[in-house]
Short mmCIF file of all heavy atoms in Angstrom, two decimals:
data_model
loop_
_atom_site.label_atom_id
_atom_site.label_comp_id
_atom_site.label_asym_id
_atom_site.label_seq_id
_atom_site.Cartn_x
_atom_site.Cartn_y
_atom_site.Cartn_z
N ILE A 1 123.24 95.24 10.97
CA ILE A 1 122.69 94.41 9.89
C ILE A 1 121.18 94.39 10.02
O ILE A 1 120.65 94.07 11.09
CB ILE A 1 123.27 92.99 9.96
CG1 ILE A 1 124.79 93.05 9.73
CG2 ILE A 1 122.61 92.07 8.94
CD1 ILE A 1 125.51 91.79 10.06
N SER A 2 120.49 94.71 8.93
CA SER A 2 119.04 94.81 8.96
C SER A 2 118.41 94.00 7.83
O SER A 2 118.69 94.26 6.65
CB SER A 2 118.61 96.28 8.84
OG SER A 2 117.21 96.40 8.84
N PHE A 3 117.58 93.01 8.21
CA PHE A 3 116.77 92.28 7.23
C PHE A 3 115.44 93.00 7.11
O PHE A 3 114.79 93.30 8.12
CB PHE A 3 116.55 90.83 7.69
CG PHE A 3 117.78 89.99 7.64
CD1 PHE A 3 118.60 89.86 8.76
CD2 PHE A 3 118.13 89.31 6.49
CE1 PHE A 3 119.75 89.08 8.73
CE2 PHE A 3 119.28 88.52 6.44
CZ PHE A 3 120.09 88.41 7.56
N ASN A 4 114.98 93.24 5.88
CA ASN A 4 113.79 94.03 5.65
C ASN A 4 112.80 93.32 4.72
O ASN A 4 113.21 92.68 3.74
CB ASN A 4 114.16 95.39 5.04
CG ASN A 4 115.08 96.18 5.95
OD1 ASN A 4 114.63 96.79 6.90
ND2 ASN A 4 116.37 96.15 5.65
N GLY A 5 111.52 93.43 5.06
CA GLY A 5 110.47 92.85 4.23
C GLY A 5 109.22 93.71 4.25
O GLY A 5 109.23 94.83 4.78
N THR A 6 108.13 93.18 3.70
CA THR A 6 106.88 93.95 3.65
C THR A 6 106.13 93.91 4.97
O THR A 6 105.32 94.79 5.26
CB THR A 6 105.97 93.43 2.53
OG1 THR A 6 105.72 92.04 2.76
CG2 THR A 6 106.61 93.62 1.17
N GLY A 7 106.36 92.88 5.79
CA GLY A 7 105.60 92.73 7.02
C GLY A 7 104.17 92.33 6.72
O GLY A 7 103.76 92.18 5.56
N GLY A 8 103.38 92.14 7.76
CA GLY A 8 101.99 91.76 7.53
C GLY A 8 101.37 91.13 8.75
O GLY A 8 101.98 91.03 9.82
N HIS A 9 100.11 90.68 8.60
CA HIS A 9 99.37 90.02 9.68
C HIS A 9 99.89 88.60 9.86
O HIS A 9 100.12 87.87 8.88
CB HIS A 9 97.87 90.01 9.35
CG HIS A 9 97.00 89.64 10.48
ND1 HIS A 9 96.82 88.33 10.88
CD2 HIS A 9 96.24 90.41 11.32
CE1 HIS A 9 95.99 88.30 11.91
NE2 HIS A 9 95.62 89.56 12.20
N SER A 10 100.05 88.19 11.11
CA SER A 10 100.66 86.88 11.37
C SER A 10 99.83 85.72 10.83
O SER A 10 100.37 84.66 10.51
CB SER A 10 100.88 86.70 12.88
OG SER A 10 99.65 86.73 13.58
N SER A 11 98.52 85.89 10.71
CA SER A 11 97.66 84.83 10.19
C SER A 11 97.30 85.07 8.72
O SER A 11 97.52 84.22 7.86
CB SER A 11 96.37 84.73 11.02
OG SER A 11 95.51 83.73 10.50
N TYR A 12 96.78 86.25 8.43
CA TYR A 12 96.33 86.55 7.07
C TYR A 12 97.48 86.46 6.08
O TYR A 12 97.31 85.98 4.95
CB TYR A 12 95.70 87.94 7.05
CG TYR A 12 95.16 88.34 5.71
CD1 TYR A 12 93.95 87.82 5.25
CD2 TYR A 12 95.85 89.25 4.91
CE1 TYR A 12 93.44 88.19 3.99
CE2 TYR A 12 95.36 89.61 3.66
CZ TYR A 12 94.16 89.08 3.21
OH TYR A 12 93.67 89.43 1.99
N ASN A 13 98.66 86.93 6.48
CA ASN A 13 99.81 86.92 5.58
C ASN A 13 100.81 85.82 5.89
O ASN A 13 101.98 85.89 5.51
CB ASN A 13 100.53 88.27 5.64
CG ASN A 13 99.67 89.42 5.20
OD1 ASN A 13 99.38 90.32 5.99
ND2 ASN A 13 99.21 89.41 3.94
N PHE A 14 100.33 84.79 6.58
CA PHE A 14 101.23 83.67 6.90
C PHE A 14 101.86 83.13 5.62
O PHE A 14 101.17 82.92 4.62
CB PHE A 14 100.46 82.56 7.60
CG PHE A 14 101.31 81.36 7.92
CD1 PHE A 14 102.23 81.40 8.94
CD2 PHE A 14 101.19 80.19 7.15
CE1 PHE A 14 103.04 80.30 9.23
CE2 PHE A 14 102.00 79.09 7.43
CZ PHE A 14 102.91 79.16 8.47
N GLY A 15 103.15 82.92 5.70
CA GLY A 15 103.89 82.45 4.54
C GLY A 15 104.79 83.51 3.93
O GLY A 15 105.65 83.20 3.11
N PHE A 16 104.58 84.79 4.34
CA PHE A 16 105.52 85.83 3.92
C PHE A 16 106.89 85.56 4.54
O PHE A 16 107.01 84.95 5.61
CB PHE A 16 105.04 87.21 4.40
CG PHE A 16 103.99 87.85 3.53
CD1 PHE A 16 103.26 87.11 2.61
CD2 PHE A 16 103.73 89.21 3.63
CE1 PHE A 16 102.28 87.71 1.82
CE2 PHE A 16 102.76 89.82 2.86
CZ PHE A 16 102.03 89.07 1.95
N ALA A 17 107.92 86.01 3.88
CA ALA A 17 109.26 85.91 4.44
C ALA A 17 109.34 86.74 5.72
O ALA A 17 108.82 87.86 5.78
CB ALA A 17 110.30 86.39 3.43
N ASN A 18 109.97 86.17 6.74
CA ASN A 18 110.00 86.82 8.06
C ASN A 18 111.42 87.27 8.40
O ASN A 18 112.33 86.45 8.53
CB ASN A 18 109.50 85.83 9.11
CG ASN A 18 109.30 86.49 10.47
OD1 ASN A 18 110.13 87.24 10.94
ND2 ASN A 18 108.16 86.18 11.11
N PRO A 19 111.64 88.59 8.55
CA PRO A 19 112.99 89.09 8.86
C PRO A 19 113.56 88.50 10.15
O PRO A 19 114.78 88.29 10.24
CB PRO A 19 112.77 90.60 8.99
CG PRO A 19 111.60 90.89 8.12
CD PRO A 19 110.70 89.71 8.29
N HIS A 20 112.70 88.23 11.16
CA HIS A 20 113.22 87.65 12.40
C HIS A 20 113.80 86.26 12.16
O HIS A 20 114.82 85.88 12.76
CB HIS A 20 112.10 87.56 13.45
CG HIS A 20 111.79 88.85 14.13
ND1 HIS A 20 112.53 89.99 13.98
CD2 HIS A 20 110.77 89.18 14.99
CE1 HIS A 20 112.02 90.97 14.71
NE2 HIS A 20 110.93 90.51 15.34
N ASN A 21 113.13 85.48 11.30
CA ASN A 21 113.65 84.15 10.98
C ASN A 21 115.05 84.26 10.36
O ASN A 21 115.96 83.49 10.70
CB ASN A 21 112.72 83.42 10.00
CG ASN A 21 111.38 83.08 10.61
OD1 ASN A 21 111.19 83.19 11.83
ND2 ASN A 21 110.44 82.67 9.78
N ALA A 22 115.19 85.21 9.43
CA ALA A 22 116.47 85.39 8.78
C ALA A 22 117.54 85.83 9.77
O ALA A 22 118.68 85.34 9.75
CB ALA A 22 116.34 86.41 7.65
N LEU A 23 117.17 86.75 10.66
CA LEU A 23 118.13 87.23 11.65
C LEU A 23 118.57 86.08 12.56
O LEU A 23 119.76 85.94 12.87
CB LEU A 23 117.54 88.36 12.48
CG LEU A 23 118.51 89.02 13.47
CD1 LEU A 23 119.48 89.93 12.72
CD2 LEU A 23 117.77 89.82 14.53
N GLY A 24 117.59 85.28 13.00
CA GLY A 24 117.93 84.15 13.86
C GLY A 24 118.90 83.19 13.18
O GLY A 24 119.86 82.70 13.80
N ARG A 25 118.64 82.91 11.89
CA ARG A 25 119.56 82.03 11.15
C ARG A 25 120.95 82.65 11.07
O ARG A 25 121.97 81.97 11.26
CB ARG A 25 119.02 81.79 9.74
CG ARG A 25 117.86 80.82 9.64
CD ARG A 25 117.64 80.48 8.16
NE ARG A 25 116.55 79.54 8.02
CZ ARG A 25 115.26 79.88 7.89
NH1 ARG A 25 114.94 81.17 7.86
NH2 ARG A 25 114.34 78.97 7.76
N ALA A 26 121.00 83.93 10.75
CA ALA A 26 122.30 84.60 10.60
C ALA A 26 123.10 84.53 11.89
O ALA A 26 124.31 84.26 11.88
CB ALA A 26 122.09 86.05 10.17
N ILE A 27 122.43 84.78 13.02
CA ILE A 27 123.12 84.70 14.31
C ILE A 27 123.64 83.29 14.55
O ILE A 27 124.79 83.10 14.98
CB ILE A 27 122.18 85.15 15.45
CG1 ILE A 27 121.87 86.64 15.35
CG2 ILE A 27 122.80 84.83 16.81
CD1 ILE A 27 120.82 87.14 16.32
N HIS A 28 122.80 82.30 14.26
CA HIS A 28 123.22 80.91 14.48
C HIS A 28 124.41 80.54 13.60
O HIS A 28 125.40 79.99 14.08
CB HIS A 28 122.06 79.96 14.20
CG HIS A 28 122.47 78.52 14.13
ND1 HIS A 28 122.86 77.80 15.25
CD2 HIS A 28 122.59 77.67 13.07
CE1 HIS A 28 123.19 76.58 14.89
NE2 HIS A 28 123.03 76.47 13.58
N TYR A 29 124.31 80.83 12.31
CA TYR A 29 125.38 80.44 11.39
C TYR A 29 126.68 81.15 11.72
O TYR A 29 127.77 80.56 11.69
CB TYR A 29 124.98 80.72 9.94
CG TYR A 29 123.84 79.87 9.43
CD1 TYR A 29 122.87 80.39 8.57
CD2 TYR A 29 123.73 78.53 9.80
CE1 TYR A 29 121.83 79.61 8.09
CE2 TYR A 29 122.68 77.74 9.33
CZ TYR A 29 121.73 78.29 8.49
OH TYR A 29 120.70 77.52 8.02
N TRP A 30 126.57 82.47 12.06
CA TRP A 30 127.80 83.20 12.37
C TRP A 30 128.41 82.73 13.68
O TRP A 30 129.62 82.50 13.76
CB TRP A 30 127.53 84.71 12.45
CG TRP A 30 128.80 85.52 12.64
CD1 TRP A 30 129.97 85.39 11.95
CD2 TRP A 30 129.02 86.57 13.60
NE1 TRP A 30 130.90 86.31 12.41
CE2 TRP A 30 130.34 87.04 13.41
CE3 TRP A 30 128.22 87.17 14.56
CZ2 TRP A 30 130.89 88.07 14.17
CZ3 TRP A 30 128.75 88.21 15.32
CH2 TRP A 30 130.07 88.66 15.13
N SER A 31 127.60 82.57 14.71
CA SER A 31 128.16 82.19 16.01
C SER A 31 128.80 80.81 15.96
O SER A 31 129.85 80.58 16.59
CB SER A 31 127.08 82.24 17.10
OG SER A 31 126.03 81.34 16.83
N ALA A 32 128.19 79.88 15.20
CA ALA A 32 128.78 78.53 15.09
C ALA A 32 130.13 78.58 14.39
O ALA A 32 131.11 77.98 14.85
CB ALA A 32 127.82 77.60 14.35
N ALA A 33 130.19 79.30 13.27
CA ALA A 33 131.44 79.39 12.53
C ALA A 33 132.47 80.23 13.28
O ALA A 33 133.66 79.89 13.33
CB ALA A 33 131.18 79.98 11.14
N ALA A 34 132.01 81.33 13.88
CA ALA A 34 132.92 82.22 14.60
C ALA A 34 133.52 81.54 15.82
O ALA A 34 134.69 81.74 16.15
CB ALA A 34 132.19 83.49 15.02
N ASP A 35 132.72 80.73 16.50
CA ASP A 35 133.24 80.03 17.67
C ASP A 35 134.36 79.07 17.27
O ASP A 35 135.38 78.97 17.97
CB ASP A 35 132.13 79.26 18.38
CG ASP A 35 132.55 78.80 19.76
OD1 ASP A 35 132.92 79.67 20.59
OD2 ASP A 35 132.54 77.59 20.02
N SER A 36 134.19 78.41 16.14
CA SER A 36 135.25 77.51 15.65
C SER A 36 136.52 78.30 15.36
O SER A 36 137.62 77.85 15.70
CB SER A 36 134.77 76.78 14.39
OG SER A 36 133.68 75.94 14.69
#
């Protein structure tokens, strides 16, 4: 599973959607539901 975006500078482009954030959420939501 791959989340993809434009990427950018951590300061100059702050506020862009971040694929790592999405991946972290996906792992959390899946692991919580899957564990149940």
Side-chain angles (χ1 to χ4, degrees):
I1 296 167
S2 178
F3 290 93
N4 300 281
T6 57
H9 192 282
S10 62
S11 178
Y12 181 76
N13 298 117
F14 178 74
F16 278 18
N18 189 314
H20 282 351
N21 293 348
L23 185 75
R25 285 191 179 89
I27 292 173
H28 169 71
Y29 293 143
W30 186 47
S31 62
D35 194 58
S36 296

